[in-house]
Amino acid sequence: MKTITIEGQLRTESGKKATRQIRSQGNVPGVIYGGEKEINFYASAKAFKPLVYTGEFQKAEVKIDGKTYPAILKDLQFDRVTDTLTHIDLLELVEGKKVIATIPVKLTGNSAGVKAGGKLITKLKSLKVKALPKDLKEFIEVDITNLELNGNIRVEDVQEPALEIMNSKRIPIASIVMTRQLRQEEAAADKKK
């Protein structure tokens, strides 16, 4: 799994004035939860870019005062007007303690339904999972090779024993629908009979 290293500084002051000053210097305040204690820190906005502006699931190693905290992204806050990052929440990965994470779904294979003229519709781009830090992965692979026309692959079809999937089991991840052209061809074939 991809890991991004972020050099951070411990925040000594809190409050609006101190936070405004941190932001005015091109930094973003943040918090690391889930460990022994909550850690308030800040780092340059540039350091967070590879973690924030990506569709991938990745770990962050935040280095503060010589200590390294392995973490995952938990929450982001952006400015309403300028759309710049104003605050970041990270969840510390503690060995043996399960965490909740949102992992992207990667569809693989060529569907039989698409080969028959259907159209692939992706309905769920990520899954919410509960897992130990060692079991977290970049993406969850879902094979759609056997997906037929008008068929669905649901959350219950995902085989990941190390991950506890928290989404509802009946929600479709992907489906193959008939295209308009295919429906017209079928209707024309029925009229000829």
Side-chain angles (χ1 to χ4, degrees):
M1 185 186 303
K2 207 171 178 184
T3 304
I4 278 105
T5 305
I6 296 167
E7 297 286 338
Q9 275 81 38
L10 210 56
R11 273 171 58 189
T12 50
E13 296 175 36
S14 59
K16 280 185 180 179
K17 187 178 177 187
T19 306
R20 248 188 238 121
Q21 188 176 0
I22 287 170
R23 288 188 187 122
S24 71
Q25 295 166 351
N27 294 316
V28 177
V31 180
I32 301 174
Y33 299 101
E36 291 173 26
K37 59 184 189 312
E38 210 174 89
I39 299 143
N40 290 298
F41 74 103
Y42 67 91
S44 75
K46 210 175 196 178
F48 289 117
K49 273 190 175 173
L51 183 67
V52 175
Y53 300 103
T54 181
E56 297 174 1
F57 178 76
Q58 43 200 0
K59 288 182 187 175
E61 279 190 354
V62 185
K63 294 183 177 180
I64 303 168
D65 294 341
K67 277 189 86 182
T68 303
Y69 301 93
I72 57 172
L73 190 61
K74 190 67 181 164
D75 194 26
L76 300 166
Q77 292 170 10
F78 292 93
D79 187 280
R80 288 184 192 155
V81 178
T82 63
D83 207 31
T84 54
L85 183 64
T86 57
H87 194 273
I88 191 163
D89 289 352
L90 298 171
L91 184 64
E92 188 175 349
L93 298 174
V94 179
E95 225 27 74
K97 185 177 175 186
K98 286 190 174 187
V99 293
I100 294 173
T102 303
I103 300 180
V105 171
K106 182 179 180 184
L107 301 176
T108 60
N110 290 327
S111 162
V114 170
K115 288 177 186 171
K119 182 180 176 187
L120 174 68
I121 307 278
T122 305
K123 300 197 175 191
L124 207 59
K125 289 184 173 24
S126 59
L127 291 172
K128 193 174 184 180
V129 299
K130 189 174 191 176
L132 292 169
K134 67 179 176 65
D135 295 326
L136 292 174
K137 45 175 57 182
E138 251 176 86
F139 52 81
I140 296 171
E141 208 168 282
V142 177
D143 185 23
I144 59 167
T145 309
N146 299 326
L147 191 55
E148 296 291 333
L149 201 56
N150 295 325
N152 287 316
I153 285 192
R154 299 183 188 278
V155 173
E156 64 191 2
D157 300 327
V158 176
Q159 300 301 313
E160 287 291 342
L163 305 174
E164 180 186 328
I165 299 172
M166 302 182 73
N167 299 68
S168 174
K169 303 270 183 244
R170 298 294 302 154
I171 295 175
I173 294 173
S175 32
I176 304 292
V177 295
M178 263 192 191
T179 58
R180 185 180 301 142
Q181 184 182 356
L182 201 58
R183 277 196 296 266
Q184 288 170 346
E185 287 171 10
E186 262 187 22
D190 286 344
K191 284 181 184 175
K192 286 181 183 174
K193 285 182 183 175

